Structures are given as structure tokens and as C-alpha cells.
């Protein structure tokens, strides 16, 4: 894979407590997404946060990685649904840090079993660049279930 670079811009006005900002991607796929401190730590009120964007990026990266692992095993997925929950928390020194990302994947895959899915799900996490980034300072957990299974219904 060639080297990949993408750009985004954050514009901010005001102080941290009462200010607000917008996020835009250089590709134009998103423009002027509003964000604020309140949307980060209180109620979202129609705005996003860095943590929500990280969760979206992790879910997307992992979904592609899992699709690749399943296809490589000869059982490409019919459908994947990946939910990522990123947690920002106060740590021992009083600062705040991303402490975890929990991935929940539901997969519709023919001719595979739960055990194989779980093995491939872990391999997919190990191959996901966002998992590696997050694991530099936090934990990543993966739960994968087959759709139609008792847990993946």
C-alpha cells in the first residue's frame, strides 16, 4: 500500500468553556461539522467531538480489516456492522486521556462458525492501524458475533 496522507481542518472561536468550532475534511466529504467542549463532555446537542470522530475512524478501519481477514479465509462477509465506543477519562495525574476503545462487530458470513469469526476478529484488530494507534496509550477490546447467533441477532 502506498503512503497515504489525508487532511482536515479545525477552526475555533472563543475560549474553551464557551467557544465552539467547526471541522472540515480536505476531500469535501464533510464540511463545517460543529463541535464544542459541551458536546465533548456534556450533552451533544447536534455537535460532534474528537472522541466521536475517533470512534468512527476506528470502526471504519476495523470493518475494512475484518472484511479483509474474512475474505482471505475464503468466507467474505455479506454484511458487517461495527460499533466503536471510545472512552475519554481522567487519569491518575488529573489529566484526561483516551483510555479505551471497545469494538462490537456483528457479521453475516456464510460457512463460518463463531470460533473462526472470533479468531479472525482478533487478527483484524491486530492489523488495523487505528487499533495500533489507540493501543499506544489505551486498551482495545473486540467482541464479534455472527448475525443470527444468540448474541448477534
Amino acid at each position: 500500500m502506498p503512503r497515504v496522507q489525508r487532511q482536515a481542518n479545525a477552526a475555533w472561536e472563543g475560549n474553551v468553556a464557551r467557544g465552539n468550532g467547526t471541522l472540515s475534511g480536505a476531500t469535501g466529504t464533510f464540511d463545517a461539522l460543529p463541535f464544542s467542549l459541551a458536546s465533548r463532555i456534556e450533552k451533544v446537542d447536534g455537535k460532534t467531538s474528537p472522541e466521536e470522530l475517533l470512534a468512527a475512524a476506528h470502526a471504519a478501519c476495523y470493518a475494512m480489516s475484518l472484511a479483509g481477514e474474512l475474505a482471505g479465509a475464503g468466507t467474505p462477509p455479506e454484511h458487517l456492522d461495527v460499533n466503536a465506543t471510545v472512552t475519554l477519562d481522567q487519569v491518575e495525574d488529573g489529566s484526561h486521556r483516551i483510555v479505551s476503545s471497545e469494538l462490537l462487530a456483528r457479521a453475516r458470513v456464510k460457512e463460518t462458525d463463531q470460533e473462526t469469526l472470533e479468531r479472525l476478529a482478533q487478527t483484524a484488530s491486530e492489523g488495523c492501524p487505528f487499533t495500533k494507534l489507540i493501543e499506544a496509550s489505551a486498551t482495545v477490546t473486540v467482541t464479534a458475533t455472527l448475525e443470527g447467533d444468540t448474541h448477534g441477532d
Side-chain angles (χ1 to χ4, degrees), residues 51 55-56 58-59 83-88 98 100-104 139 141:
E51 293 75 25
H58 196 193
N83 178 281
T85 302
V86 168
T87 301
L88 172 73
I98 300 296
S100 68
S101 182
E102 297 176 45
L103 295 168
L104 302 175
T139 61
T141 57

Side-chain angles (χ1 to χ4, degrees), residues 45-101:
D45 202 24
K47 297 178 182 177
T48 192
S49 69
E51 293 75 25
E52 181 179 44
L53 295 170
L54 179 58
H58 196 193
C61 181
Y62 179 76
M64 288 186 278
S65 186
L66 181 55
E69 291 298 328
L70 288 164
T75 56
E78 293 177 14
H79 179 80
L80 295 174
D81 183 25
V82 178
N83 178 281
T85 302
V86 168
T87 301
L88 172 73
D89 204 355
Q90 189 169 351
V91 294
E92 298 81 32
D93 67 2
S95 66
H96 289 81
R97 187 176 71 184
I98 300 296
V99 296
S100 68
S101 182

Side-chain angles (χ1 to χ4, degrees):
M1 179 186 294
R3 183 176 184 189
V4 176
Q5 293 183 310
R6 297 291 182 260
Q7 293 182 326
N9 182 65
W12 185 265
E13 294 184 8
N15 67 28
V16 70
R18 297 199 192 328
N20 59 69
T22 58
L23 298 164
S24 299
T27 61
T29 55
F30 61 95
D31 187 41
L33 290 177
F35 72 103
S36 67
L37 180 63
S39 68
R40 190 174 198 183
I41 61 172
E42 296 171 359
K43 60 181 192 174
V44 293
D45 202 24
K47 297 178 182 177
T48 192
S49 69
E51 293 75 25
E52 181 179 44
L53 295 170
L54 179 58
H58 196 193
C61 181
Y62 179 76
M64 288 186 278
S65 186
L66 181 55
E69 291 298 328
L70 288 164
T75 56
E78 293 177 14
H79 179 80
L80 295 174
D81 183 25
V82 178
N83 178 281
T85 302
V86 168
T87 301
L88 172 73
D89 204 355
Q90 189 169 351
V91 294
E92 298 81 32
D93 67 2
S95 66
H96 289 81
R97 187 176 71 184
I98 300 296
V99 296
S100 68
S101 182
E102 297 176 45
L103 295 168
L104 302 175
R106 289 181 11 160
R108 187 177 326 131
V109 184
K110 290 184 179 177
E111 299 180 29
T112 197
D113 57 34
Q114 183 63 37
E115 183 178 322
T116 301
L117 176 63
E118 289 173 7
R119 180 178 49 78
L120 293 173
Q122 288 303 318
T123 302
S125 183
E126 293 164 9
C128 171
F130 277 84
T131 293
K132 291 184 184 314
L133 176 69
I134 293 165
E135 284 181 335
S137 64
T139 61
V140 173
T141 57
V142 177
T143 303
T145 57
L146 288 168
E147 282 189 351
D149 190 43
T150 7
H151 303 310
D153 235 323

